[in-house]
Amino acid sequence: MSQDTGINAVQLRSLFVSCAGNRRGGACSWSPCCRSLACNCSPTPSPTSPTNATAASTSGSTRRWGVLAYAARSSVGLYCQVAGGCSADDYGSGGAGYLFSLVHPATAIMGEGQRQQQGEDLGRGHKLAEITALAWANCGTVVVGTAGGSVCVVTWLRDYGTRCNSVVCDSSVLGPGGDLIVSRFGRSYSEIIGNTEFPVSAVAVTSPLCVCGEKGTLQFLAVCTASNVVQLWIERDGSYTKHQVLEAPCMCESISLCALGTHVLALGGVDARVHVYSAAISTPTVVAQFQHVTSLSGHQDWVRAVDFIVDASNSTALLASASQDKRIRIWKFTVQNGALIGALESVLYGHDDWITCVKWFSPGCLLSSSMDRTVSIWTPAMGSNLWLNHTRLFGVSAHALAGNILGFYSVGAESGGSVVAAQGYNGGLHVWLLSPELPSPMPTVTTCSAIGGHYGGVRGVTWMLDEYSGVPYVLSISIDHTVRAIAPYANPHGMSWHEIARPVVHGFALKCLCPLPDHRFALASEEKIVRILEAPQTFLQTVYQIAGINEGNQNRELILSRPWGATLPALSISNKPILSQSDVDYSQSNEPASTGIDEVEDDEEGGGDYSATVSSTPIVHSHPPLEEHLTNNTLWVECNKLYGNTDDATCMCTSQNGAFVACACTPGRVVECVVRVWAWREGGGARPVIVTTPQRGMLTCMSFSPNFTSGGASVTLLATGSTDHSLCLLSCPSWKVVNHTADIHSSPITSCVWAQSEVDGQPLLVTCSTKDHARPVALWRVFADPTTGNVKAELALCLEVASPTCISPMPPLSTNTMCSIAVGTSDGVLQLWTVKKQPQQQETVKTTTTPSATTATATATATTPEVIRVIGSKVLQLQLHTDAITTVACTANRATAKWSGFIGAPNQRCDGGILIATGSLDQSVQIHHLRL
């Protein structure tokens, strides 16, 4: 770095990552070996990044880690469940789970210093392909298949027994003089071994097998595609070679492999049959071809899942097949005189809808998931072939799953038998602890707090702050039609971040979210109405309690002024208030969800009495809520609606004092840029002020400036950016156009935000354009001309950032800093920049840039007594996401007398630093703490 940043070191620590699994058919799988690690670790490792599984224990207790891999859009997520040694009061209702790695197969490192051009090219072509199937090959390797047809082998955790790689480098330090060059994936790397040309529907891997006493191992990998083709690879000591291509009788939805004196392959077909193939086990150098043995009939609909298990003697194999006919069939296979013999063992009845997945835990224990919203554990009756429904999770008497009404797509148990996980329709993981472990006769089932997240691209994040106590939390919106709240949780072993509420489950795709004072926010979606929502009592008390704020430090006046909770009536998209706790019938909280509430007269204006019968049962939580509570019981109250838009909203912002809400919508036939501004505190009858700007394109972004002094008067401006490449400034509250600058970029403006100079308090406007290669990020000085009094926007600096997508002002990173800026890019990289200005003698200074793009300089025009030289320096660059960063928000971390700020360990105060929240098209929301 050619310019001194004034920063001795920065430290970025990952606090939170959320990313749900693929919706409507995602895949998840527990690792087949070393699935439970007995580690001497502290009672609770760092929740978001258990970076040292063998750290010295402060309590001497052992810890068991169950590792689950699941498909999270185009990435592989690793979920780690704390399965033992903690009480129910420590983590939710009996356990804690954390997403500690999120890897895209095409962007994972190909080995330290060994990135292969071939892998990069293949990866680039399938960057956005959704993962449709995955399977563990061994302790540290997962095989994935994508909708683009590629088959990848992702390897990481090579030091699996000693280290679990964190989501980002946990304690990487950057000093002046160089960029941060540390991979967030640690020792992870990826190898694309082939392409099937059709979407992959299923993958299966045999356990590593020592063949005929020879050195080395032999392992089969089978890939089933959306066509009738099945491809088989052979793995020998880490090297994969294609072995055979089979033409199946029909399209197959599932596949399974086992070794039983011979290699056996089973395919579940859409012709309602199970097709079985076998290949003789020979030597590592000579492997026989798979030949069709038989097709098993009996199912009446598509076979959705098949799974093999071999007994301890390696003489008998059981095959479970599940179908859309709501039945599970168990087949028994043996090898007699070199021939594979199979016969029907049992038929399992009990599910009321399609069965989506079956997984063997042991030869006497089978798990199944179904669209009837249940996960069942099956065991055989003593002395017979009759299998019974041993335990049913989320049965008809369990909590209502309002957001998961279409059931579960996959299920699995870790090898210790104490943790069962299932993936639901909305992408979230549901986790249960069983005690004693499977296959015990009657285990006690405890539901755990598990990882969740958006199952669609994230469109916006914003920081909210409780001014009374100082506790911050994040609100995020997504194209999955939900708003989610993420807050800090002061557990006995440190501070972690969890989803604590879903304020809105909307009927329209959400577009914009802007904060308002007193725990309120404005929400715009693909409709004409802007909705104002406020936090109810249950949310405010939950935030205080899980953050460790005692009752004496809570804002009781605000809490008591709010309704108890909210409910969403049937056939409505407006959250109605539950005025008091007495209006909630908690006796119905364990009953299944029906259609909502009893029918009442309703209109969008808010008619009807909804306090008498409600379907939601909001409660105050002392720990992060479970998935079944988040889907229905944590709504916020809709307190106002703002009318006036003529079409879908395109962008929205709120003034810094919360007095005004400005919004723009899609223009009609006449391309006319109109901004509507509401003084929303006037109530539901508030009419917008309609302002027409001189721009001739759709408005893409807008932002209110902080108050600043100009000519002795306090001034607030509203900036709007358009697809016609122009910028417009409006004065507040007269709403007159005070400046219009055309062609500030060579392509549509993507984002515009205001920053305030830490040196003189003057406003700075930052704009970015993703496709503008000459001026991707521009910094503008906004001032009043001392001669004419006209407001001018003058270019002060251009930052060379490749494909910027979003920007956000930051608290200052160092002294004498003019401002600090966070920039997100289309490839998932976050860049942090500092900007300084230095008075110089009157001279002409040309714009210069360094080849490394880490420093840029520019000069202002001679409208002031001296020329101002502006310097921008890149402080940090880090790969955070596997897809484009769509939104970034920053806030200062401040400890108060009521709250100690971020706590890294019990009783450790941390005053200072910056909290950064990012959202991406990869569906994840990440929160990081930047320490200076």
Side-chain angles (χ1 to χ4, degrees):
M1 200 175 292
S2 60
Q3 295 292 334
D4 183 13
T5 64
I7 301 174
N8 293 325
V10 294
Q11 188 179 48
L12 188 69
R13 182 175 184 179
S14 173
L15 305 183
F16 173 83
V17 178
S18 72
C19 192
N22 291 343
R23 199 180 187 191
R24 305 181 183 91
C28 67
S29 175
W30 290 93
S31 54
C33 55
C34 298
R35 282 176 288 189
S36 293
L37 299 181
C39 305
N40 293 323
C41 62
S42 58
T44 302
S46 174
T48 52
S49 54
T51 57
N52 196 346
T54 60
S57 173
T58 59
S59 64
S61 62
T62 59
R63 179 69 60 186
R64 307 184 64 190
W65 298 89
V67 179
L68 179 74
Y70 71 98
R73 199 188 178 202
S74 56
S75 304
V76 178
L78 276 191
Y79 174 83
C80 195
Q81 178 67 37
V82 181
C86 65
S87 66
D89 293 334
D90 286 349
Y91 294 103
S93 297
Y98 309 102
L99 174 65
F100 68 92
S101 186
L102 189 65
V103 181
H104 190 289
T107 58
I109 293 182
M110 305 292 293
E112 196 166 328
Q114 299 177 3
R115 184 180 292 271
Q116 300 177 11
Q117 185 64 37
Q118 180 184 9
E120 288 184 343
D121 292 341
L122 286 172
R124 191 177 300 118
H126 296 285
K127 183 176 181 181
L128 298 181
E130 184 175 280
I131 295 176
T132 54
L134 62 82
W136 283 88
N138 52 53
C139 178
T141 302
V142 171
V143 179
V144 300
T146 70
S150 60
V151 181
C152 308
V153 179
V154 182
T155 304
W156 70 102
L157 302 181
R158 286 190 173 268
D159 297 332
Y160 192 80
T162 60
R163 177 175 175 80
C164 297
N165 297 322
S166 59
V167 173
V168 296
C169 45
D170 217 32
S171 58
S172 300
V173 176
L174 169 71
D179 290 339
L180 182 66
I181 309 176
V182 177
S183 168
R184 62 181 284 263
F185 304 124
R187 294 180 174 86
S188 308
Y189 68 92
S190 174
E191 178 185 3
I192 299 179
I193 63 174
N195 194 297
T196 65
E197 299 181 0
F198 293 94
V200 177
S201 58
V203 295
V205 182
T206 59
S207 299
L209 180 66
C210 292
V211 183
C212 299
E214 299 274 349
K215 279 190 174 183
T217 61
L218 174 68
Q219 192 173 25
F220 269 109
L221 163 64
V223 178
C224 186
T225 69
S227 65
N228 296 4
V229 175
V230 177
Q231 297 187 5
L232 292 108
W233 277 268
I234 292 178
E235 184 270 335
R236 292 185 180 93
D237 300 326
S239 177
Y240 286 85
T241 57
K242 185 177 290 188
H243 173 64
Q244 185 180 359
V245 177
L246 291 175
E247 188 75 21
C250 65
M251 186 180 73
C252 297
E253 287 282 300
S254 54
I255 191 170
S256 184
L257 281 164
C258 77
L260 180 69
T262 178
H263 291 293
V264 185
L265 169 68
L267 303 174
V270 298
D271 60 354
R273 295 190 297 171
V274 179
H275 306 281
V276 181
Y277 298 76
S278 68
I281 295 178
S282 51
T283 68
T285 56
V286 179
V287 181
Q289 298 285 307
F290 278 86
Q291 302 293 331
H292 183 263
V293 175
T294 184
S295 294
L296 305 174
S297 301
H299 287 295
Q300 305 299 317
D301 207 334
W302 289 13
V303 178
R304 297 296 301 271
V306 291
D307 193 34
F308 269 117
I309 192 169
V310 181
D311 64 5
S313 64
N314 203 34
S315 61
T316 303
L318 294 178
L319 172 66
S321 60
S323 169
Q324 293 180 177
D325 63 5
K326 312 174 191 177
R327 303 290 184 263
I328 299 173
R329 291 178 177 264
I330 297 179
W331 313 83
K332 185 176 181 180
F333 287 87
T334 58
V335 177
Q336 300 177 7
N337 299 324
L340 184 66
I341 306 299
L344 180 64
E345 179 81 0
S346 184
V347 180
L348 282 58
Y349 298 84
H351 284 294
D352 300 323
D353 209 330
W354 291 3
I355 301 173
T356 56
C357 183
V358 286
K359 291 287 179 65
W360 286 102
F361 169 70
S362 69
C365 186
L366 178 68
L367 289 85
S368 64
S369 63
S370 171
M371 299 300 284
D372 64 4
R373 294 183 294 160
T374 64
V375 170
S376 292
I377 302 173
W378 305 83
T379 56
M382 187 67 66
S384 72
N385 292 335
L386 178 65
W387 287 66
L388 303 177
N389 197 331
H390 171 280
T391 303
R392 199 171 193 183
L393 308 175
F394 279 142
V396 294
S397 61
H399 290 287
L401 295 178
N404 193 40
I405 57 174
L406 291 186
F408 297 100
Y409 284 105
S410 57
V411 66
E414 57 92 27
S415 63
S418 60
V419 184
V420 175
Q423 184 183 351
Y425 168 78
N426 58 3
L429 292 178
H430 300 257
V431 178
W432 303 270
L433 293 184
L434 306 181
S435 179
E437 300 173 353
L438 290 176
S440 57
M442 291 297 293
T444 301
V445 180
T446 306
T447 308
C448 304
S449 297
I451 196 72
H454 291 290
Y455 49 81
V458 180
R459 280 184 169 172
V461 294
T462 186
W463 282 99
M464 305 285 284
L465 180 68
D466 181 67
E467 299 289 348
Y468 191 81
S469 65
V471 177
Y473 59 94
V474 173
L475 293 178
S476 64
I477 62 170
S478 166
I479 59 177
D480 66 2
H481 301 197
T482 64
V483 178
R484 304 185 185 227
I486 304 162
Y489 171 38
N491 60 67
H493 313 291
M495 180 69 72
S496 56
W497 291 69
H498 297 265
E499 181 182 350
I500 65 166
R502 291 182 192 164
V504 176
V505 180
H506 210 276
F508 293 95
L510 305 181
K511 287 286 194 71
C512 314
L513 178 143
C514 298
L516 291 170
D518 298 329
H519 301 275
R520 295 185 176 96
F521 67 87
L523 181 67
S525 60
E526 292 181 350
E527 60 171 344
K528 301 177 182 180
I529 302 173
V530 175
R531 302 172 186 270
I532 308 295
L533 295 102
E534 64 180 11
Q537 288 187 35
T538 49
F539 176 84
L540 296 175
Q541 293 186 53
T542 296
V543 169
Y544 286 136
Q545 289 202 20
I546 70 170
I549 306 296
N550 58 47
E551 188 172 347
N553 290 327
Q554 298 178 10
N555 191 345
R556 303 302 303 176
E557 181 179 354
L558 178 64
I559 291 175
L560 296 176
S561 67
R562 297 293 175 84
W564 175 252
T567 186
L568 183 62
L571 305 179
S572 175
I573 56 175
S574 297
N575 297 346
K576 304 299 181 180
I578 301 174
L579 300 181
S580 66
Q581 188 175 4
S582 60
D583 294 330
V584 182
D585 184 5
Y586 289 100
S587 65
Q588 303 297 320
S589 62
N590 289 331
E591 294 301 319
S594 60
T595 57
I597 67 170
D598 293 342
E599 292 187 6
V600 292
E601 293 297 326
D602 174 46
D603 58 66
E604 199 59 32
E605 297 293 335
D609 180 11
Y610 293 89
S611 62
T613 55
V614 297
S615 61
S616 300
T617 54
I619 60 175
V620 178
H621 295 273
S622 59
H623 51 72
L626 304 175
E627 180 71 19
E628 56 269 28
H629 290 289
L630 291 170
T631 54
N632 201 40
N633 301 329
T634 57
L635 298 172
W636 284 24
V637 180
E638 190 173 303
C639 62
N640 203 347
K641 293 187 181 74
L642 305 179
Y643 298 93
N645 283 339
T646 58
D647 212 321
D648 299 349
T650 59
C651 56
M652 182 178 66
C653 66
T654 56
S655 59
Q656 297 203 2
N657 61 3
F660 298 101
V661 176
C663 184
C665 60
T666 305
R669 292 184 178 179
V670 178
V671 181
E672 184 179 53
C673 292
V674 173
V675 179
R676 291 172 175 82
V677 184
W678 292 267
W680 69 274
R681 293 185 184 275
E682 297 178 6
R687 294 186 177 181
V689 176
I690 300 177
V691 183
T692 302
T693 71
Q695 294 157 305
R696 286 297 177 265
M698 184 177 69
L699 295 182
T700 56
C701 57
M702 58 176 59
S703 179
F704 276 100
S705 73
N707 293 333
F708 65 96
T709 303
S710 178
S714 179
V715 179
T716 301
L717 300 176
L718 173 63
T720 62
S722 171
T723 56
D724 67 356
H725 315 170
S726 68
L727 177 71
C728 184
L729 300 179
L730 308 173
S731 65
C732 174
S734 64
W735 312 119
K736 294 181 180 179
V737 176
V738 296
N739 180 272
H740 177 233
T741 306
D743 297 326
I744 67 168
H745 288 283
S746 61
S747 60
I749 301 174
T750 306
S751 178
C752 66
V753 296
W754 289 89
Q756 195 163 15
S757 173
E758 298 293 332
V759 178
D760 55 14
Q762 292 303 301
L764 302 169
L765 181 63
V766 187
T767 62
C768 79
S769 178
T770 303
K771 297 182 179 181
D772 188 343
H773 301 291
R775 192 185 292 172
V777 178
L779 182 70
W780 306 81
R781 294 177 59 245
V782 179
F783 59 95
D785 190 297
T787 304
T788 63
N790 297 330
V791 176
K792 290 188 175 182
E794 183 179 83
L795 179 63
L797 178 68
C798 291
L799 304 179
E800 293 190 7
V801 181
S803 301
T805 53
C806 56
I807 48 180
S808 174
M810 298 177 61
L813 293 177
S814 63
T815 57
N816 300 322
T817 297
M818 187 174 178
C819 68
S820 299
I821 305 168
V823 184
T825 68
S826 61
D827 57 0
V829 172
L830 178 69
Q831 296 185 8
L832 306 183
W833 290 76
T834 59
V835 179
K836 293 183 178 181
K837 64 179 183 178
Q838 299 174 349
Q840 301 251 327
Q841 296 295 327
Q842 183 77 28
E843 59 180 350
T844 302
V845 182
K846 296 182 180 180
T847 301
T848 63
T849 59
T850 64
S852 61
T854 59
T855 302
T857 61
T859 60
T861 57
T863 58
T864 57
E866 59 181 2
V867 175
I868 303 299
R869 185 169 183 265
V870 182
I871 302 174
S873 301
K874 183 167 61 177
V875 177
L876 180 67
Q877 174 172 312
L878 194 62
Q879 181 84 39
L880 295 183
H881 293 272
T882 59
D883 208 335
I885 298 178
T886 56
T887 176
V888 59
C890 307
T891 187
N893 182 50
R894 291 288 182 262
T896 65
K898 302 180 179 65
W899 191 63
S900 59
F902 171 74
I903 302 175
N907 303 319
Q908 176 185 340
R909 294 174 62 87
C910 180
D911 184 13
I914 300 171
L915 294 173
I916 304 174
T918 59
S920 169
L921 291 179
D922 67 7
Q923 306 177 357
S924 68
V925 175
Q926 298 189 18
I927 301 175
H928 306 276
H929 183 220
L930 184 68
R931 296 183 182 181
L932 305 180

